[in-house]
Amino acid sequence: MPLVAGRAAAFSAEELTVKRPLLSTFGRSGKMASEDITKLVESLAKTKVGGGQLSFKGQSLKLNTAEDAEEVIKQIEEFDGLEALRLEGNTVGVEAAKVIAKALEKKSELKRCHWSDMFTGRLRSEIPPALISLGDALITAGAQLVELDLSDNAFGPDGVRGFEALLKSPACYTLQELKLNNCGMGIGGGKILAAALKDCHRKSSAQGKPLALKIFVAGRNRLENDGATALAEAFGIIGTLEEVHMPQNGINHPGITALAQAFAINPLLKVINLNDNTFTEKGAVAMAETLKALRQIEVINFGDCLVRSKGAVAIADAVKEGLHKLKELNLSFCEIKRDAALTVAEAVEDKTELEKLDLNGNCLGEEVCEQLHEILEGFNMASVLGSLSDDEGEEEDEDEEEDEEEEEEEEEQKQLEERGAEEQESLTPKKIIDSQASTPVPSPPVDVATFLAFPSPEKLLRLGPKCSVLIAQQTDTSDVEKVVATLLRISSVFKDEASVKTAVHETTDALMKKAFSSATFNSDAFITNLLVHMGLLKSEEKIKTVPSLYGILMTLNHMVQQDYFPKSLAPVLSAFVTKPNRALDSCSFARHMLLQTLHQL
């Protein structure tokens, strides 16, 4: 069954239950009824025109065929001096994109393409050719873009290929704003994007006018360390960035450190938004060093980034030494303790431009919260301190942070050794390995118990080609709780990387096929238990929920398409995944993919 992309549509449980077609305006042929054409014309009558801008924003136009797009094309063709085209909030198919592209081939003055959220309900396979058509038209027209916004189009890594040629072309040598928020690019898409930006900079530099990108937005894209590191290399080459927004990307300290090094070569930076990634002390210290070199910074958003106390002190030192234009500092929900928080407050004493200091959700306690107010009142800056209503209270164990960081470092080192050991084993004779104490020896073979106790993508792959059979054999599928626990552990290591994704899918299939085919397996109890552990259904017992829903949502997206999955469970799953939930909101791409797939069942 093909995957579907587009924005995370708010389907109701009722709509999903009755399986109402997504593009209900059209029949199987894709042609519109006469009354729908009337509605389209009425909608187009509301089109906003002015200041060189033609806007179809938010009109919910369903443009499948050339016929559907006739009115849109007409307005584009008749618009002299078109500088900005807004297509947000509509849905454009391949055929419609081709004819719209034809109309754009003569619009050489086009500078701004506001094309976010314009593939709602489209198959993933439809989006790249549609983007290629539109991009080729801009190249043919000789347009010189200033802004390209493709946010909220869940096109995944393949979608980046759809506008890769455009990014490398002269049409983007003048690009100043690139917005790709919530597109599900993944590591692969991030690497493709980075390569395209470097190519654009190289070619434009050869023409004497190097790419001078100012604003880059790519939140909620699961870029992780590898994707962020690839983009960091591009940022370091470009050197003209003023705003970087990359929240919720699963970036850890190696990726953060790479970005910090790149930011240091972008002296015009004003806004850095890396909210909801994972700095730890290493990443925070690296970023603090970069901040000392930047003079134009106005907004720092490191909220929910686990900078912890040592990282917060390092950032405070950077703030104290300079950053006189600072307007906003967000260090909320970062596990910062009392002394570090007070150090941060003291560091903003002479920041006359400061409008907001956010330290909410840390581990301070009532007394420290009062002290913060007193310190800022002393600077005549009490109004800048944000709410502290979600403070976690003072923690007694002062050594806990160091212990946690040591454990993280040990785990990272262990993983590095596991990767390196296999390479060493194949490249180095055994007698040399034995004689060199500094050389890591091969790790012992991984068994199912080790993987389930401490899951990681590497361990799953090291189980070998029979991993799916082994895990299914060693799981008691008559016990619903054990099946759910095993499924969650398998899905927790899900990555967009092909080998890992395949291993997760095959292991899931073996386990769940065995479970659902058993006469004693209670499928209703299974879905209930799973929803509880996902935090989507409340339980009377205290149940520890999974820290991230991304892996299980992507795994479920595969599961529900298989023959072994009971279709009777689809409406239940749809109803709960549709409900508002903070954990689901942070995985909007995966949530949307699952909902679209369920809708097609």
Side-chain angles (χ1 to χ4, degrees):
M1 179 176 293
L3 296 177
V4 182
R7 65 174 175 177
F11 302 111
S12 70
E14 182 182 358
E15 286 173 335
L16 290 167
T17 302
V18 299
K19 300 179 179 61
R20 189 177 61 164
L22 188 61
L23 299 180
S24 55
T25 305
F26 304 92
R28 290 288 179 185
S29 65
K31 293 184 178 179
M32 303 177 73
S34 58
E35 60 269 24
D36 295 318
I37 295 175
T38 303
K39 289 179 182 177
L40 175 59
V41 173
E42 290 174 353
S43 180
L44 289 170
K46 301 174 185 176
T47 299
K48 296 177 182 177
V49 178
Q53 173 176 284
L54 178 59
S55 176
F56 300 96
K57 182 179 178 179
Q59 295 185 18
S60 301
L61 303 177
K62 297 177 176 65
L63 308 177
N64 288 343
T65 65
E67 181 186 357
D68 300 339
E70 281 180 359
E71 285 293 328
V72 173
I73 294 164
K74 181 182 178 184
Q75 295 206 39
I76 291 174
E77 289 177 339
E78 292 178 354
F79 197 112
D80 292 329
L82 180 64
E83 295 183 6
L85 178 61
R86 308 195 75 105
L87 291 173
E88 311 104 304
N90 299 291
T91 178
V92 182
V94 175
E95 189 180 336
K98 285 181 180 178
V99 291
I100 291 173
K102 196 69 179 174
L104 290 175
E105 287 181 357
K106 299 176 183 177
K107 301 300 175 181
S108 60
E109 296 177 19
L110 187 62
K111 292 180 174 63
R112 298 184 183 275
C113 298
H114 302 279
W115 294 350
S116 64
D117 185 20
M118 68 173 206
F119 295 111
T120 303
R122 296 293 166 187
L123 300 178
R124 282 274 293 275
S125 58
E126 287 183 271
I127 299 177
L131 287 174
I132 288 170
S133 295
L134 293 167
D136 287 349
L138 299 178
I139 297 170
T140 301
Q144 294 186 313
L145 295 184
V146 172
E147 179 179 0
L148 177 61
D149 186 356
L150 292 170
S151 299
D152 299 315
N153 291 311
F155 44 58
D158 293 341
V160 185
R161 293 286 188 197
F163 59 93
E164 180 184 17
L166 173 63
L167 279 181
K168 293 178 178 181
S169 76
C172 284
Y173 290 177
T174 50
L175 195 64
Q176 295 180 17
E177 302 179 30
L178 179 58
K179 300 173 182 178
L180 299 166
N181 201 54
N182 191 31
C183 291
M185 290 189 290
I187 295 171
K191 289 181 176 180
I192 296 168
L193 175 62
L197 288 172
K198 288 190 289 184
D199 194 69
C200 180
H201 186 271
R202 179 179 59 81
K203 290 178 178 177
S204 57
S205 296
Q207 296 290 324
K209 293 183 178 180
L211 171 68
L213 192 66
K214 293 181 180 180
I215 297 174
F216 179 83
V217 181
R220 294 186 175 187
N221 271 292
R222 299 297 302 180
L223 294 169
E224 300 183 17
N225 289 332
D226 290 348
T229 300
L231 285 166
E233 187 178 339
F235 295 163
I237 292 170
I238 293 168
T240 55
L241 289 167
E242 296 180 12
E243 295 185 22
V244 175
H245 303 263
M246 295 173 66
Q248 295 185 6
N249 269 298
I251 308 170
N252 298 325
H253 76 78
I256 296 298
T257 300
L259 287 171
Q261 293 168 348
F263 292 165
I265 318 172
N266 284 265
L268 301 177
L269 264 175
K270 296 178 182 178
V271 178
I272 302 177
N273 176 7
L274 294 174
N275 189 286
D276 200 6
N277 288 292
T278 307
F279 282 42
T280 64
E281 181 190 347
K282 289 182 180 179
V285 169
M287 194 61 70
E289 286 303 308
T290 285
L291 290 175
K292 290 177 183 178
L294 299 174
R295 300 296 176 209
Q296 306 300 321
I297 289 291
E298 296 178 3
V299 177
I300 298 171
N301 186 345
F302 297 160
D304 207 7
C305 282
L306 205 66
V307 304
R308 295 197 175 121
S309 294
K310 291 180 181 178
V313 170
I315 292 169
D317 288 344
V319 170
K320 191 170 185 176
E321 286 184 22
L323 306 187
H324 296 292
K325 296 183 179 182
L326 188 64
K327 294 180 179 179
E328 181 178 334
L329 175 59
N330 185 347
L331 294 175
S332 60
F333 299 94
C334 281
E335 293 191 6
I336 300 170
K337 297 178 183 176
R338 52 169 298 152
D339 292 341
L342 296 175
T343 301
V344 172
E346 290 165 354
V348 303
E349 179 179 1
D350 62 345
K351 309 307 164 196
T352 56
E353 301 293 319
L354 192 67
E355 298 172 1
K356 185 176 182 181
L357 172 62
D358 193 345
L359 291 169
N360 198 18
N362 287 300
C363 313
L364 310 180
E366 258 184 71
E367 184 181 340
V368 177
C369 289
E370 290 176 7
Q371 285 181 275
L372 288 174
H373 281 287
E374 290 171 5
I375 289 171
L376 291 166
E377 279 178 2
F379 302 153
N380 197 27
M381 298 171 69
S383 61
V384 307
L385 184 62
S387 169
L388 297 171
S389 60
D390 292 319
D391 182 64
E392 296 288 338
E394 186 174 3
E395 292 187 6
E396 294 179 6
D397 187 2
E398 296 294 331
D399 297 325
E400 183 180 340
E401 183 175 315
E402 291 181 10
D403 293 341
E404 287 177 354
E405 289 184 0
E406 285 175 8
E407 287 174 9
E408 287 173 4
E409 288 175 9
E410 287 173 6
E411 180 62 26
E412 286 172 9
Q413 186 61 35
K414 186 177 179 183
Q415 289 180 3
L416 287 172
E417 287 175 2
E418 285 176 356
R419 293 173 189 167
E422 293 178 353
E423 296 171 9
Q424 287 291 99
E425 187 174 18
S426 62
L427 297 173
T428 313
K430 189 176 187 303
K431 61 181 181 180
I432 297 178
I433 292 177
D434 293 338
S435 67
Q436 296 180 352
S438 61
T439 304
V441 297
S443 302
V446 174
D447 56 20
V448 171
T450 303
F451 166 73
L452 292 178
F454 303 101
S456 73
E458 294 78 16
K459 290 191 183 83
L460 182 62
L461 294 176
R462 287 177 60 211
L463 278 172
K466 293 185 178 180
C467 64
S468 58
V469 177
L470 292 172
I471 291 176
Q473 284 177 345
Q474 296 184 38
T475 303
D476 180 5
T477 51
S478 65
D479 188 328
V480 167
E481 289 193 9
K482 287 183 180 177
V483 172
V484 169
T486 302
L487 175 62
L488 290 172
R489 284 176 171 83
I490 294 168
S491 65
S492 70
V493 306
F494 180 91
K495 290 174 70 175
D496 289 321
E497 188 179 317
S499 58
V500 178
K501 184 192 295 187
T502 300
V504 169
H505 287 173
E506 289 178 351
T507 309
T508 298
D509 289 342
L511 173 68
M512 298 314 303
K513 188 174 182 179
K514 178 185 174 185
F516 284 125
S517 63
S518 170
T520 58
F521 188 72
N522 189 330
S523 58
D524 290 334
F526 163 78
I527 199 71
T528 300
N529 196 291
L530 179 62
L531 290 168
V532 168
H533 280 83
M534 290 173 68
L536 306 182
L537 182 62
K538 290 184 179 179
S539 171
E540 293 180 1
E541 299 176 15
K542 191 172 182 180
I543 301 290
K544 186 177 180 181
T545 58
V546 292
S548 171
L549 293 180
Y550 181 78
I552 185 60
L553 289 173
M554 294 301 285
T555 303
L556 282 170
N557 184 58
H558 168 79
M559 261 179 64
V560 300
Q561 299 178 65
Q562 309 311 310
D563 291 338
Y564 62 72
F565 185 80
K567 297 302 181 278
S568 61
L569 299 182
V572 179
L573 190 56
S574 297
F576 281 93
V577 175
T578 303
K579 287 183 177 181
N581 182 285
R582 185 178 177 184
L584 286 170
D585 290 342
S586 66
C587 303
S588 59
F589 171 72
R591 176 194 206 176
H592 173 62
M593 293 295 294
L594 176 56
L595 280 176
Q596 291 280 38
T597 301
L598 288 167
H599 194 66
Q600 299 294 320
L601 294 178

